[in-house]
PDB file of all heavy atoms in Angstrom:
ATOM      1  N   ARG A  72      26.666 -66.606  -0.828  1.00  0.00           N
ATOM      2  CA  ARG A  72      27.143 -67.817  -1.458  1.00  0.00           C
ATOM      3  C   ARG A  72      27.372 -67.628  -2.952  1.00  0.00           C
ATOM      4  O   ARG A  72      28.016 -68.445  -3.588  1.00  0.00           O
ATOM      5  CB  ARG A  72      26.165 -68.963  -1.211  1.00  0.00           C
ATOM      6  CG  ARG A  72      24.729 -68.649  -1.506  1.00  0.00           C
ATOM      7  CD  ARG A  72      23.839 -69.834  -1.200  1.00  0.00           C
ATOM      8  NE  ARG A  72      23.557 -70.601  -2.390  1.00  0.00           N
ATOM      9  CZ  ARG A  72      22.664 -70.264  -3.308  1.00  0.00           C
ATOM     10  NH1 ARG A  72      21.975 -69.137  -3.153  1.00  0.00           N
ATOM     11  NH2 ARG A  72      22.447 -71.024  -4.351  1.00  0.00           N
ATOM     12  N   THR A  76      29.415 -61.819  -9.480  1.00  0.00           N
ATOM     13  CA  THR A  76      29.340 -62.590 -10.713  1.00  0.00           C
ATOM     14  C   THR A  76      29.220 -61.614 -11.891  1.00  0.00           C
ATOM     15  O   THR A  76      29.073 -60.403 -11.691  1.00  0.00           O
ATOM     16  CB  THR A  76      28.119 -63.536 -10.746  1.00  0.00           C
ATOM     17  OG1 THR A  76      26.929 -62.751 -10.786  1.00  0.00           O
ATOM     18  CG2 THR A  76      28.082 -64.446  -9.526  1.00  0.00           C
ATOM     19  N   ARG A  78      26.778 -61.279 -13.882  1.00  0.00           N
ATOM     20  CA  ARG A  78      25.465 -60.651 -13.950  1.00  0.00           C
ATOM     21  C   ARG A  78      25.317 -59.530 -12.941  1.00  0.00           C
ATOM     22  O   ARG A  78      24.822 -58.454 -13.263  1.00  0.00           O
ATOM     23  CB  ARG A  78      24.371 -61.695 -13.706  1.00  0.00           C
ATOM     24  CG  ARG A  78      22.991 -61.072 -13.657  1.00  0.00           C
ATOM     25  CD  ARG A  78      21.867 -62.095 -13.531  1.00  0.00           C
ATOM     26  NE  ARG A  78      21.936 -62.885 -12.305  1.00  0.00           N
ATOM     27  CZ  ARG A  78      20.936 -63.617 -11.851  1.00  0.00           C
ATOM     28  NH1 ARG A  78      19.796 -63.666 -12.527  1.00  0.00           N
ATOM     29  NH2 ARG A  78      21.067 -64.320 -10.756  1.00  0.00           N
ATOM     30  N   TYR A  95      13.430 -64.784 -16.524  1.00  0.00           N
ATOM     31  CA  TYR A  95      12.769 -65.835 -17.296  1.00  0.00           C
ATOM     32  C   TYR A  95      13.106 -65.756 -18.778  1.00  0.00           C
ATOM     33  O   TYR A  95      12.316 -66.186 -19.614  1.00  0.00           O
ATOM     34  CB  TYR A  95      11.251 -65.796 -17.084  1.00  0.00           C
ATOM     35  CG  TYR A  95      10.859 -66.205 -15.697  1.00  0.00           C
ATOM     36  CD1 TYR A  95      10.817 -65.288 -14.672  1.00  0.00           C
ATOM     37  CD2 TYR A  95      10.586 -67.540 -15.397  1.00  0.00           C
ATOM     38  CE1 TYR A  95      10.489 -65.663 -13.384  1.00  0.00           C
ATOM     39  CE2 TYR A  95      10.253 -67.931 -14.112  1.00  0.00           C
ATOM     40  CZ  TYR A  95      10.209 -66.987 -13.110  1.00  0.00           C
ATOM     41  OH  TYR A  95       9.880 -67.354 -11.847  1.00  0.00           O
ATOM     42  N   GLY A  96      14.276 -65.191 -19.085  1.00  0.00           N
ATOM     43  CA  GLY A  96      14.682 -65.088 -20.472  1.00  0.00           C
ATOM     44  C   GLY A  96      13.810 -64.197 -21.318  1.00  0.00           C
ATOM     45  O   GLY A  96      13.961 -64.122 -22.526  1.00  0.00           O
ATOM     46  N   VAL A  97      12.894 -63.467 -20.678  1.00  0.00           N
ATOM     47  CA  VAL A  97      11.884 -62.740 -21.423  1.00  0.00           C
ATOM     48  C   VAL A  97      11.797 -61.272 -21.003  1.00  0.00           C
ATOM     49  O   VAL A  97      11.753 -60.382 -21.854  1.00  0.00           O
ATOM     50  CB  VAL A  97      10.496 -63.375 -21.224  1.00  0.00           C
ATOM     51  CG1 VAL A  97       9.460 -62.683 -22.078  1.00  0.00           C
ATOM     52  CG2 VAL A  97      10.537 -64.858 -21.547  1.00  0.00           C
TER      53      VAL A  97
ATOM     54  P    DA C   5       5.107 -73.265 -25.577  1.00  0.00           P
ATOM     55  OP1  DA C   5       4.634 -73.406 -26.963  1.00  0.00           O
ATOM     56  OP2  DA C   5       6.033 -74.256 -24.984  1.00  0.00           O
ATOM     57  O5'  DA C   5       5.761 -71.816 -25.436  1.00  0.00           O
ATOM     58  C5'  DA C   5       4.954 -70.671 -25.600  1.00  0.00           C
ATOM     59  C4'  DA C   5       5.755 -69.437 -25.262  1.00  0.00           C
ATOM     60  O4'  DA C   5       5.776 -69.252 -23.826  1.00  0.00           O
ATOM     61  C3'  DA C   5       7.217 -69.516 -25.708  1.00  0.00           C
ATOM     62  O3'  DA C   5       7.578 -68.283 -26.280  1.00  0.00           O
ATOM     63  C2'  DA C   5       7.976 -69.776 -24.406  1.00  0.00           C
ATOM     64  C1'  DA C   5       7.102 -69.028 -23.404  1.00  0.00           C
ATOM     65  N9   DA C   5       7.229 -69.502 -22.030  1.00  0.00           N
ATOM     66  C8   DA C   5       7.460 -70.775 -21.615  1.00  0.00           C
ATOM     67  N7   DA C   5       7.508 -70.895 -20.299  1.00  0.00           N
ATOM     68  C5   DA C   5       7.293 -69.610 -19.836  1.00  0.00           C
ATOM     69  C6   DA C   5       7.224 -69.059 -18.544  1.00  0.00           C
ATOM     70  N6   DA C   5       7.366 -69.762 -17.439  1.00  0.00           N
ATOM     71  N1   DA C   5       6.989 -67.731 -18.442  1.00  0.00           N
ATOM     72  C2   DA C   5       6.842 -67.023 -19.567  1.00  0.00           C
ATOM     73  N3   DA C   5       6.892 -67.427 -20.825  1.00  0.00           N
ATOM     74  C4   DA C   5       7.122 -68.742 -20.895  1.00  0.00           C
ATOM     75  P    DT C   6       8.746 -68.251 -27.360  1.00  0.00           P
ATOM     76  OP1  DT C   6       8.503 -67.052 -28.195  1.00  0.00           O
ATOM     77  OP2  DT C   6       8.895 -69.580 -27.992  1.00  0.00           O
ATOM     78  O5'  DT C   6      10.013 -68.002 -26.467  1.00  0.00           O
ATOM     79  C5'  DT C   6      10.077 -66.847 -25.646  1.00  0.00           C
ATOM     80  C4'  DT C   6      11.361 -66.874 -24.839  1.00  0.00           C
ATOM     81  O4'  DT C   6      11.143 -67.580 -23.611  1.00  0.00           O
ATOM     82  C3'  DT C   6      12.514 -67.605 -25.560  1.00  0.00           C
ATOM     83  O3'  DT C   6      13.695 -66.860 -25.411  1.00  0.00           O
ATOM     84  C2'  DT C   6      12.592 -68.928 -24.852  1.00  0.00           C
ATOM     85  C1'  DT C   6      12.175 -68.538 -23.443  1.00  0.00           C
ATOM     86  N1   DT C   6      11.636 -69.649 -22.625  1.00  0.00           N
ATOM     87  C2   DT C   6      11.165 -69.366 -21.367  1.00  0.00           C
ATOM     88  O2   DT C   6      11.169 -68.258 -20.900  1.00  0.00           O
ATOM     89  N3   DT C   6      10.701 -70.444 -20.676  1.00  0.00           N
ATOM     90  C4   DT C   6      10.665 -71.757 -21.088  1.00  0.00           C
ATOM     91  O4   DT C   6      10.223 -72.626 -20.372  1.00  0.00           O
ATOM     92  C5   DT C   6      11.178 -71.979 -22.425  1.00  0.00           C
ATOM     93  C7   DT C   6      11.178 -73.342 -22.990  1.00  0.00           C
ATOM     94  C6   DT C   6      11.628 -70.931 -23.098  1.00  0.00           C
ATOM     95  P    DC C   7      14.789 -67.020 -26.595  1.00  0.00           P
ATOM     96  OP1  DC C   7      14.677 -65.871 -27.504  1.00  0.00           O
ATOM     97  OP2  DC C   7      14.759 -68.396 -27.099  1.00  0.00           O
ATOM     98  O5'  DC C   7      16.116 -66.845 -25.748  1.00  0.00           O
ATOM     99  C5'  DC C   7      16.264 -65.701 -24.913  1.00  0.00           C
ATOM    100  C4'  DC C   7      17.186 -66.060 -23.765  1.00  0.00           C
ATOM    101  O4'  DC C   7      16.458 -66.810 -22.764  1.00  0.00           O
ATOM    102  C3'  DC C   7      18.370 -66.945 -24.150  1.00  0.00           C
ATOM    103  O3'  DC C   7      19.501 -66.507 -23.435  1.00  0.00           O
ATOM    104  C2'  DC C   7      17.965 -68.308 -23.650  1.00  0.00           C
ATOM    105  C1'  DC C   7      17.260 -67.894 -22.374  1.00  0.00           C
ATOM    106  N1   DC C   7      16.410 -68.927 -21.758  1.00  0.00           N
ATOM    107  C2   DC C   7      16.127 -68.822 -20.383  1.00  0.00           C
ATOM    108  O2   DC C   7      16.586 -67.868 -19.750  1.00  0.00           O
ATOM    109  N3   DC C   7      15.359 -69.758 -19.800  1.00  0.00           N
ATOM    110  C4   DC C   7      14.869 -70.771 -20.525  1.00  0.00           C
ATOM    111  N4   DC C   7      14.128 -71.668 -19.910  1.00  0.00           N
ATOM    112  C5   DC C   7      15.145 -70.892 -21.926  1.00  0.00           C
ATOM    113  C6   DC C   7      15.909 -69.954 -22.486  1.00  0.00           C
ATOM    114  P    DG C   8      20.740 -65.882 -24.166  1.00  0.00           P
ATOM    115  OP1  DG C   8      20.222 -64.882 -25.114  1.00  0.00           O
ATOM    116  OP2  DG C   8      21.589 -66.989 -24.628  1.00  0.00           O
ATOM    117  O5'  DG C   8      21.476 -65.128 -22.979  1.00  0.00           O
ATOM    118  C5'  DG C   8      20.800 -64.103 -22.282  1.00  0.00           C
ATOM    119  C4'  DG C   8      21.054 -64.217 -20.798  1.00  0.00           C
ATOM    120  O4'  DG C   8      20.273 -65.303 -20.228  1.00  0.00           O
ATOM    121  C3'  DG C   8      22.507 -64.486 -20.424  1.00  0.00           C
ATOM    122  O3'  DG C   8      22.813 -63.724 -19.284  1.00  0.00           O
ATOM    123  C2'  DG C   8      22.528 -65.989 -20.139  1.00  0.00           C
ATOM    124  C1'  DG C   8      21.127 -66.227 -19.570  1.00  0.00           C
ATOM    125  N9   DG C   8      20.567 -67.548 -19.821  1.00  0.00           N
ATOM    126  C8   DG C   8      20.577 -68.250 -20.991  1.00  0.00           C
ATOM    127  N7   DG C   8      19.974 -69.414 -20.912  1.00  0.00           N
ATOM    128  C5   DG C   8      19.533 -69.471 -19.601  1.00  0.00           C
ATOM    129  C6   DG C   8      18.818 -70.492 -18.927  1.00  0.00           C
ATOM    130  O6   DG C   8      18.400 -71.564 -19.358  1.00  0.00           O
ATOM    131  N1   DG C   8      18.581 -70.162 -17.591  1.00  0.00           N
ATOM    132  C2   DG C   8      18.986 -68.997 -17.003  1.00  0.00           C
ATOM    133  N2   DG C   8      18.669 -68.850 -15.717  1.00  0.00           N
ATOM    134  N3   DG C   8      19.665 -68.026 -17.621  1.00  0.00           N
ATOM    135  C4   DG C   8      19.906 -68.340 -18.916  1.00  0.00           C
ATOM    136  P    DT C   9      24.256 -63.698 -18.664  1.00  0.00           P
ATOM    137  OP1  DT C   9      24.504 -62.286 -18.337  1.00  0.00           O
ATOM    138  OP2  DT C   9      25.184 -64.457 -19.527  1.00  0.00           O
ATOM    139  O5'  DT C   9      24.081 -64.507 -17.306  1.00  0.00           O
ATOM    140  C5'  DT C   9      22.990 -64.187 -16.459  1.00  0.00           C
ATOM    141  C4'  DT C   9      22.921 -65.151 -15.308  1.00  0.00           C
ATOM    142  O4'  DT C   9      22.347 -66.403 -15.747  1.00  0.00           O
ATOM    143  C3'  DT C   9      24.279 -65.507 -14.677  1.00  0.00           C
ATOM    144  O3'  DT C   9      24.160 -65.357 -13.283  1.00  0.00           O
ATOM    145  C2'  DT C   9      24.525 -66.949 -15.104  1.00  0.00           C
ATOM    146  C1'  DT C   9      23.108 -67.486 -15.257  1.00  0.00           C
ATOM    147  N1   DT C   9      22.919 -68.603 -16.212  1.00  0.00           N
ATOM    148  C2   DT C   9      22.169 -69.694 -15.838  1.00  0.00           C
ATOM    149  O2   DT C   9      21.661 -69.799 -14.740  1.00  0.00           O
ATOM    150  N3   DT C   9      22.025 -70.661 -16.802  1.00  0.00           N
ATOM    151  C4   DT C   9      22.555 -70.646 -18.082  1.00  0.00           C
ATOM    152  O4   DT C   9      22.356 -71.560 -18.854  1.00  0.00           O
ATOM    153  C5   DT C   9      23.329 -69.479 -18.404  1.00  0.00           C
ATOM    154  C7   DT C   9      23.951 -69.369 -19.755  1.00  0.00           C
ATOM    155  C6   DT C   9      23.475 -68.518 -17.468  1.00  0.00           C
ATOM    156  P    DT C  10      25.378 -65.555 -12.360  1.00  0.00           P
ATOM    157  OP1  DT C  10      25.216 -64.590 -11.260  1.00  0.00           O
ATOM    158  OP2  DT C  10      26.618 -65.583 -13.149  1.00  0.00           O
ATOM    159  O5'  DT C  10      25.122 -67.011 -11.781  1.00  0.00           O
ATOM    160  C5'  DT C  10      23.849 -67.299 -11.213  1.00  0.00           C
ATOM    161  C4'  DT C  10      23.739 -68.785 -10.935  1.00  0.00           C
ATOM    162  O4'  DT C  10      23.612 -69.515 -12.170  1.00  0.00           O
ATOM    163  C3'  DT C  10      24.947 -69.391 -10.194  1.00  0.00           C
ATOM    164  O3'  DT C  10      24.455 -70.061  -9.052  1.00  0.00           O
ATOM    165  C2'  DT C  10      25.566 -70.344 -11.222  1.00  0.00           C
ATOM    166  C1'  DT C  10      24.368 -70.688 -12.087  1.00  0.00           C
ATOM    167  N1   DT C  10      24.672 -71.089 -13.486  1.00  0.00           N
ATOM    168  C2   DT C  10      24.065 -72.206 -14.015  1.00  0.00           C
ATOM    169  O2   DT C  10      23.293 -72.900 -13.370  1.00  0.00           O
ATOM    170  N3   DT C  10      24.386 -72.481 -15.310  1.00  0.00           N
ATOM    171  C4   DT C  10      25.256 -71.775 -16.125  1.00  0.00           C
ATOM    172  O4   DT C  10      25.473 -72.126 -17.281  1.00  0.00           O
ATOM    173  C5   DT C  10      25.866 -70.621 -15.517  1.00  0.00           C
ATOM    174  C7   DT C  10      26.822 -69.784 -16.314  1.00  0.00           C
ATOM    175  C6   DT C  10      25.545 -70.340 -14.245  1.00  0.00           C
ATOM    176  P    DT C  11      25.405 -70.646  -7.950  1.00  0.00           P
ATOM    177  OP1  DT C  11      24.799 -70.347  -6.647  1.00  0.00           O
ATOM    178  OP2  DT C  11      26.789 -70.229  -8.257  1.00  0.00           O
ATOM    179  O5'  DT C  11      25.269 -72.214  -8.225  1.00  0.00           O
ATOM    180  C5'  DT C  11      23.972 -72.771  -8.377  1.00  0.00           C
ATOM    181  C4'  DT C  11      24.093 -74.210  -8.837  1.00  0.00           C
ATOM    182  O4'  DT C  11      24.362 -74.258 -10.256  1.00  0.00           O
ATOM    183  C3'  DT C  11      25.233 -74.990  -8.165  1.00  0.00           C
ATOM    184  O3'  DT C  11      24.765 -76.299  -7.856  1.00  0.00           O
ATOM    185  C2'  DT C  11      26.309 -75.044  -9.241  1.00  0.00           C
ATOM    186  C1'  DT C  11      25.446 -75.139 -10.492  1.00  0.00           C
ATOM    187  N1   DT C  11      26.097 -74.717 -11.736  1.00  0.00           N
ATOM    188  C2   DT C  11      25.826 -75.407 -12.895  1.00  0.00           C
ATOM    189  O2   DT C  11      25.063 -76.342 -12.927  1.00  0.00           O
ATOM    190  N3   DT C  11      26.481 -74.950 -14.014  1.00  0.00           N
ATOM    191  C4   DT C  11      27.358 -73.896 -14.103  1.00  0.00           C
ATOM    192  O4   DT C  11      27.862 -73.594 -15.160  1.00  0.00           O
ATOM    193  C5   DT C  11      27.612 -73.217 -12.841  1.00  0.00           C
ATOM    194  C7   DT C  11      28.555 -72.064 -12.821  1.00  0.00           C
ATOM    195  C6   DT C  11      26.977 -73.639 -11.744  1.00  0.00           C
TER     196       DT C  11
END
Side-chain angles (χ1 to χ4, degrees):
Chain A
R72 49 181 263 281
T76 67
R78 176 175 62 165
Y95 291 87
V97 184

